[in-house]
Amino acid sequence: MPFKAILKELVENSPGSTGAILADWEGEAVEQYCLTDTYELKVTAAHQGIIISQLKDVLTGFPTAGALTHLAIKTENQLFIVGVVGSDYSLVLTMDNDILLAQAERCFARTIQLLIKEIY
């Protein structure tokens, strides 16, 4: 399944989602599916990649925490789920801030597994 189709399925199955992007270890877009501005999504992914990298570093001081899988970031107007895809990629899902997070997280986790199978 091509990346764009996987990302489109994630957005369509997560009500309130506005876009999803797969980025490499440098924050560069590999593929995205977006209902709004693709430039804004690319900038968001680049910044979220930095956050993931820094959080991974912080978690090395807490060995019982285990590996970082994903995190949710809520702002006044938006919600982001940011996740690790293998060792070299990240996935970002952007949403309205009033969505059902649990449903989006289930779809997000499934998408991570599909991307890992596709990449590795």
Side-chain angles (χ1 to χ4, degrees):
M1 179 182 276
F3 295 140
K4 188 158 214 100
I6 292 171
L7 298 176
K8 180 179 181 192
E9 182 179 299
L10 172 61
V11 172
E12 290 176 349
N13 290 326
S14 302
S17 297
T18 55
I21 186 166
L22 175 66
D24 68 12
W25 61 95
E26 295 178 322
E28 293 293 323
V30 173
E31 188 62 81
Q32 72 268 338
Y33 178 79
C34 189
L35 303 176
T36 59
D37 183 14
T38 58
Y39 176 77
E40 184 176 320
L41 185 61
K42 288 178 183 179
V43 171
T44 299
H47 287 90
Q48 302 303 337
I50 294 167
I51 291 170
I52 283 180
S53 178
Q54 290 178 341
L55 193 52
K56 280 182 178 179
D57 290 344
V58 168
L59 289 174
T60 60
F62 300 93
T64 58
L68 176 67
T69 59
H70 72 279
L71 63 132
I73 300 169
K74 186 171 185 172
T75 66
E76 187 176 338
N77 299 319
Q78 246 182 336
L79 179 66
F80 306 90
I81 301 177
V82 184
V84 177
V85 181
S87 58
D88 297 323
Y89 299 90
S90 61
L91 176 64
V92 177
L93 177 65
T94 59
M95 299 160 281
D96 298 330
N97 68 354
D98 60 348
I99 57 91
L100 295 173
L101 182 58
Q103 180 179 352
E105 284 182 316
R106 281 192 302 277
C107 293
F108 192 86
R110 180 179 177 279
T111 300
I112 294 276
Q113 294 309 310
L114 289 173
L115 290 170
I116 288 172
K117 284 181 186 176
E118 194 70 30
I119 294 169
Y120 301 100

